[in-house]
Amino acid sequence: MNYNKISPEILSSLKQIVGNDFVFTDKEKLEYYGKDETEDLLFIPEVVVKPNTPQQISDILKLANKHIIPVTPRAAGTGLSGGALPVMGGIILSVESFNKILEINERNLQATVEPGVINEVFQNAVAQKGLFYPPDPASKGSCFMGGNVAENSGGPKCVKYGVTKDYILNLEVVLPTGEIIYTGANTLKNSTGYHLTQLMVGSEGTLGIVTKIIVKLIPLPKHNLLMLVPFRNTEEACMAVSEIFRAGYTPSALEFMERDALDWVSKHVQSSVVKLADDIQAHLLIEVDGNNLDVLMHDMEAISEVVAKFNIGEILFAESQAQKDELWKLRRKINEAVKATAISKEQDTVVQRAELPQLIKGIKEIGKRYNFRSVCYGHAGDGNLHTRIIKDNMPDEQWNGEHIKKAIAEIFGLCKKLGGTISGEHGIGLVQKEYMHIMFSEKEIELQKQIKKVFDPNLILNPGKIFV
Ligand SMILES: Cc1cc2nc3c(=O)[nH]c(=O)nc-3n(C[C@H](O)[C@H](O)[C@H](O)COP(=O)(O)OP(=O)(O)OC[C@H]3O[C@@H](n4cnc5c(N)ncnc54)[C@H](O)[C@@H]3O)c2cc1C
């Protein structure tokens, strides 16, 4: 597809649609919106627009269709697969102005939010009413609900409560051709026609721009308990994950952290809450929640007995809220710490839970063959392991060339062999699209491309993503 550049006339039309104050072409803004949290990639857009209403988004998309201009939707820019990067130039369409919680419906345990609401702001607002919205990416303090919907994001709580898709009932969406639609109904059950809501969730801003999100809420559990279990062997830490479930327990979080991850983040945030003994290779952070503290104590004890069958060090039980917060801060800041410590590429590998030991073993073997170190951490309870490949002294031509691509392809091949897939929650976006053929046959990819064309016949919305 050949895209056109933004002419002075198109710029003037954009200003007419959203007003002069919401169209930006200065270098500083263009550079800021040319990046997200994916490696150090930079793609400069031609213009950034910040519409305030669905109708303005509709008018922008109609204009872009008429002139064949690429439009990249952007939420908070915390994405890790390059989804919000304007790889073809054109317009960055920021949903920052859509930042209102429109309704918390306590009668039906539902809420309606705009896509620019920060996840944690929303969580706190519903918590004040005794309600709970579980999907909680580690980036919850900054990522937007719209970005979460587009990526079908997960987080630590998802092991017990499910990911974003499990909470989205209905969406208001502006289609690439400008029509404004609803995808479903605000009901807990819906068996009416194709499930457009679920198609839109996880579509990475390629099928439409979400302007209202209707979510399901649940009652907020009253209590939680947290413990950190050190393991002397990484694979055993992974084995313990499925053992906990097989013993009959479903933690509300079950996170894995390899030694380097915890070491680097402790230094990064200057925390001394965890004393890292020399012989410890990995940790599991395990939380249980519910309304009956006695039951939770019993569950924690029982889970301790399960993990004690492995070669573990001394378990740290968080005794105060401050200690819980400190442990969660360590977990949530790992990504930031690894990025600050080393040049790396992150893979969002996911397998069935019981295959985790095989996955981590295989990743380390591939690392030996391709000469890289890796740091693994993530939502082990979901079988979702974030693998950060560290550059160290790898020559640039290997790091940026076929060498590392082959290594990544092997890691993804291993995921597939183990019954898993190549992204659990970060999406395909820009950086994983060349590996889609590992997961899908030509026919399967072709079907997905045809769906894209039904929604976006001129391929103007977020081009260059998901498919090569
Ligand atoms: C430190 C850190 C920790 C993280 N931890 C997690 C984690 O635990 N779990 C997890 O799942 N992810 C995690 N992420 C990844 C990231 O935060 C999530 O993917 C998040 O949902 C992206 O939200 P965002 O608002 O930043 O979206 P952006 O990065 O701005 O955009 C993401 C995608 O959504 C599209 N988009 C944005 N708004 C809309 C809209 N209104 N309609 C349609 N499409 C839209 C964009 O085009 C893009 O494709 C983490 C990232 C960081 C940096």
Side-chain angles (χ1 to χ4, degrees):
M1 176 65 71
N2 287 326
Y3 295 101
N4 291 314
K5 293 274 169 211
I6 295 194
S7 62
E9 291 73 31
I10 294 173
L11 199 59
S12 146
S13 301
L14 287 171
K15 286 180 180 168
Q16 270 175 19
I17 295 169
V18 296
N20 285 348
D21 291 349
F22 300 101
V23 176
F24 306 90
T25 51
D26 56 290
K27 187 169 175 274
E28 206 179 309
K29 277 267 183 332
L30 296 185
E31 273 184 13
Y32 176 80
Y33 287 94
K35 296 183 207 138
D36 65 1
E37 289 293 329
T38 316
E39 300 170 30
D40 53 356
L41 303 177
L42 173 67
F43 294 88
I44 304 284
E46 290 162 75
V47 60
V48 175
V49 289
K50 295 191 185 179
N52 292 286
T53 64
Q55 188 54 52
Q56 289 179 354
I57 295 183
S58 163
D59 291 343
I60 294 166
L61 292 173
K62 282 181 189 157
L63 182 75
N65 251 299
K66 186 168 160 204
H67 298 282
I68 313 293
I69 305 284
V71 179
T72 306
R74 175 171 173 117
T78 69
L80 294 171
S81 57
L85 296 176
V87 289
M88 306 288 180
I91 301 169
I92 277 278
L93 193 155
S94 162
V95 296
E96 276 160 296
S97 308
F98 290 76
N99 58 5
K100 285 180 257 346
I101 299 173
L102 299 173
E103 186 193 17
I104 299 174
N105 180 335
E106 292 175 75
R107 200 166 145 252
N108 281 310
L109 300 198
Q110 290 182 8
T112 305
V113 294
E114 291 187 324
V117 173
I118 293 175
N119 177 297
E120 192 172 35
V121 168
F122 178 56
Q123 295 217 12
N124 290 343
V126 299
Q128 278 178 11
K129 296 180 185 296
L131 297 172
F132 187 28
Y133 175 73
D136 62 337
S139 53
K140 68 178 181 176
S142 50
C143 66
F144 292 174
M145 294 291 285
N148 296 171
V149 170
E151 300 290 2
N152 187 18
S153 297
K157 299 273 182 202
C158 296
V159 62
K160 177 171 176 185
Y161 293 103
V163 296
T164 302
K165 76 171 169 52
D166 300 308
Y167 289 85
I168 308 300
L169 300 175
N170 199 0
L171 295 168
E172 182 188 72
V173 176
V174 185
L175 296 178
T177 37
E179 299 88 347
I180 302 173
I181 63 153
Y182 272 91
T183 55
N186 299 3
T187 50
L188 292 173
K189 293 175 84 178
N190 185 348
S191 201
T192 319
Y194 289 142
H195 212 315
L196 295 182
T197 309
Q198 292 294 318
L199 179 59
M200 208 53 73
V201 177
S203 64
E204 305 191 38
T206 62
L207 299 182
I209 298 184
V210 173
T211 44
K212 279 193 193 75
I213 306 165
I214 295 95
V215 303
K216 170 177 97 172
L217 302 169
I218 57 175
L220 184 69
K222 291 195 175 65
H223 309 286
N224 61 61
L225 298 174
L226 186 67
M227 67 178 171
L228 184 73
V229 187
F231 285 78
R232 297 200 172 83
N233 179 294
T234 307
E235 281 170 51
E236 284 197 13
C238 291
M239 280 176 209
V241 172
S242 56
E243 286 300 315
I244 291 168
F245 289 88
R246 283 174 58 191
Y249 301 97
T250 303
S252 52
L254 210 180
E255 298 284 304
F256 170 86
M257 296 175 275
E258 229 185 328
R259 183 192 172 87
D260 278 352
L262 199 52
D263 188 21
W264 293 0
V265 73
S266 297
K267 287 177 185 144
H268 184 70
V269 302
Q270 297 181 342
S271 169
S272 51
V273 67
V274 182
K275 312 278 173 252
L276 254 180
D278 288 345
D279 59 346
I280 295 304
Q281 284 189 11
H283 287 79
L284 291 181
L285 185 62
I286 307 173
E287 185 197 76
V288 291
D289 72 359
N291 292 334
N292 185 326
L293 205 47
D294 291 337
V295 172
L296 297 186
M297 304 267 241
H298 168 270
D299 285 0
M300 243 357 185
E301 224 165 89
I303 293 172
S304 317
E305 281 166 22
V306 174
V307 294
K309 290 177 197 149
F310 298 93
N311 188 3
I312 62 170
E314 194 179 336
I315 298 178
L316 171 65
F317 293 94
E319 280 166 6
S320 61
Q321 189 55 46
Q323 212 173 21
K324 285 179 193 170
D325 291 346
E326 187 72 2
L327 288 173
W328 273 120
K329 183 169 82 181
L330 289 177
R331 167 60 193 96
R332 291 191 187 282
K333 293 269 179 188
I334 287 179
N335 198 297
E336 190 182 304
V338 176
K339 272 185 101 170
T341 311
I343 299 174
S344 63
K345 291 182 194 284
E346 180 164 301
Q347 315 310 320
D348 180 29
T349 54
V350 56
V351 291
Q352 289 157 303
R353 198 186 284 140
E355 314 310 330
L356 266 182
Q358 297 271 61
L359 178 64
I360 198 154
K361 184 167 173 242
I363 288 169
K364 299 299 170 186
E365 278 169 10
I366 294 167
K368 271 188 199 141
R369 275 191 284 116
Y370 285 86
N371 206 16
F372 65 76
R373 222 170 19 128
S374 59
V375 184
C376 298
Y377 53 93
H379 316 301
D382 288 324
N384 187 192
L385 206 59
H386 301 319
T387 302
R388 281 246 171 209
I389 299 176
I390 309 296
K391 180 172 185 289
D392 284 336
N393 298 322
M394 188 182 288
D396 287 349
E397 59 275 19
Q398 288 190 3
W399 184 248
N400 298 317
E402 286 309 306
H403 178 82
I404 204 71
K405 285 183 183 171
K406 274 192 200 154
I408 293 170
E410 280 208 32
I411 292 175
F412 289 158
L414 175 66
C415 289
K416 178 156 193 206
K417 197 171 125 204
L418 295 173
T421 189
I422 67 176
S423 176
E425 55 178 24
H426 294 165
I428 296 300
L430 174 68
V431 292
Q432 318 295 4
K433 65 178 181 175
E434 63 189 286
Y435 307 104
M436 281 282 275
H437 68 276
I438 294 175
M439 284 315 302
F440 296 111
S441 69
E442 262 178 50
K443 180 67 191 173
E444 289 160 349
I445 291 182
E446 190 48 38
L447 271 176
Q448 297 189 44
K449 284 185 175 171
Q450 282 172 15
I451 291 171
K452 164 74 176 164
K453 276 213 119 180
V454 168
F455 281 78
D456 185 11
N458 290 323
L459 305 180
I460 55 135
L461 194 62
N462 213 355
K465 307 293 164 60
I466 304 184
F467 311 109
V468 177

